[in-house]
Amino acid sequence: MTDATIQTLDTPDGPFTVLEDAEGRVLASGWTDQADRVLARIAERYRPGRVLDGRVASADAVDAFYAGELEHAMQVPVRQAGTELFAEGWRQLRNIPAGSVLTYREFAAAMGRPDAVRAAASVCARNAPALFVPCHRVLRSDGTLGGFAWGLDVKRSLLERESVGTTALV
């Protein structure tokens, strides 16, 4: 049985809940105060056996992000389980600098699979440690926001906070 720690932080975008394993790696996170929504982002077979309320190691990085120090969140260790394609996609998401965006097609190319646009979208959709693996930095080919598990208002806010100069943040 593995233990994990969960904490909900107050952010300008609303409550942000982080779930970390015993080694301080973020397993899942999102803009909600409902622990079950965050846990649901992890495949059942990978969920921790016991979840305890406490202080997560990544809390300082979240505070730093909202204070304008955007890259601290990219240094936080994460743990995700998936295929080689998904693992590569999640690695590539962390390489997108704050203030930059990729289209799903560009993201697929960065993953080494330029024709796998749907797979690239799936990588974003199954990304559990939101913010720390910045799937919000991937947009539709026409520059519109596309989807985001935590709502388009949060995605728009994150991109605006990162000063992304897109014209179609609608």
Side-chain angles (χ1 to χ4, degrees):
M1 176 185 285
T2 59
D3 288 353
T5 302
I6 197 162
Q7 181 180 6
T8 299
L9 307 162
D10 291 325
T11 76
D13 291 319
F16 183 72
T17 300
V18 182
L19 178 71
E20 290 182 358
D21 68 12
E23 287 81 45
R25 297 174 295 188
V26 175
L27 303 174
S29 54
W31 287 266
T32 180
D33 58 4
Q34 298 172 13
D36 59 331
R37 283 192 65 203
V38 173
L39 279 165
R41 302 289 299 161
I42 304 169
E44 198 167 331
R45 68 183 176 270
Y46 298 115
R47 290 183 193 154
R50 192 168 58 161
V51 176
L52 309 167
D53 288 322
R55 177 151 173 84
V56 293
S58 58
D60 291 340
V62 174
D63 291 342
F65 178 87
Y66 280 101
E69 299 171 33
L70 306 175
E71 288 305 316
H72 285 292
M74 297 308 101
Q75 307 311 312
V76 170
V78 298
R79 189 181 86 198
Q80 297 192 82
T83 65
E84 219 174 277
L85 175 70
F86 276 82
E88 179 59 21
W90 294 322
R91 274 192 296 278
Q92 291 302 320
L93 284 171
R94 291 192 101 181
N95 290 332
I96 304 170
S100 299
V101 294
L102 295 179
T103 64
Y104 287 106
R105 183 167 305 287
E106 292 167 334
F107 176 49
M111 291 169 42
R113 303 277 303 270
D115 295 327
V117 176
R118 283 199 169 133
S122 292
V123 166
C124 291
R126 287 197 28 217
N127 178 46
L131 183 65
F132 306 102
V133 179
C135 58
H136 63 273
R137 296 178 184 161
V138 181
L139 305 176
R140 288 183 175 153
S141 295
D142 64 4
T144 58
L145 294 178
F148 189 59
W150 306 105
L152 294 183
D153 288 342
V154 172
K155 184 172 184 172
R156 183 179 301 106
S157 175
L158 294 171
L159 292 172
E160 288 171 355
R161 184 171 308 287
E162 294 179 0
S163 301
V164 173
T166 63
T167 56
L169 292 180
V170 293

